[in-house]
């Protein structure tokens, strides 16, 4: 899927330099950067949603003792 983005001048220069030094395309590095950081962004979103649910009372937390008891792992 073609995508068009505007990069800050300094980022564009760094990307050009890296591409020339390694012989890989700028597209390769842009794609790798997105793939590498997309998981982090998704995790942050999920955490924010869980915190909203917790604060609103939609979900709750469990103590270690509650989990151990429920799983039959207690003393």
């Amino acid at each position: 899927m073609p995508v068009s983005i505007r990069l800050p001048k300094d980022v564009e220069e760094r990307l050009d330099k890296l591409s020339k030094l390694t012989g890989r395309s700028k597209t390769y590095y842009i794609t790798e950067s997105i793939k590498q950081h997309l998981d982090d962004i998704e995790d942050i979103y999920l955490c924010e949603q869980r915190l909203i649910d917790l604060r609103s009372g939609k979900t709750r937390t469990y103590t270690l003792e509650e989990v151990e008891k429920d799983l039959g792992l207690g003393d």
Side-chain angles (χ1 to χ4, degrees):
M1 163 179 79
V3 175
S4 176
I5 61 170
R6 286 206 168 100
L7 297 174
K9 185 78 172 152
D10 63 321
V11 173
E12 181 182 358
E13 288 170 356
R14 290 173 63 194
L15 188 57
D16 279 336
K17 184 177 179 180
L18 181 61
S19 178
K20 288 175 185 170
L21 286 171
T22 62
R24 292 198 182 253
S25 70
K26 291 185 277 186
T27 300
Y28 170 82
Y29 287 111
I30 292 169
T31 301
E32 288 302 304
S33 295
I34 291 171
K35 287 180 353 186
Q36 186 173 10
H37 295 286
L38 194 55
D39 281 342
D40 293 339
I41 295 168
E42 289 170 335
D43 288 344
I44 290 167
Y45 175 77
L46 180 61
C47 289
E48 289 172 344
Q49 293 306 304
R50 294 295 179 249
L51 184 57
I52 290 168
D53 290 346
L54 182 63
R55 288 180 175 167
S56 70
K58 291 181 183 176
T59 60
R60 64 166 284 218
T61 59
Y62 296 88
T63 65
L64 177 59
E65 290 79 19
E66 290 173 310
V67 173
E68 287 176 341
K69 182 179 177 185
D70 189 48
L71 295 174
L73 301 174
D75 293 321

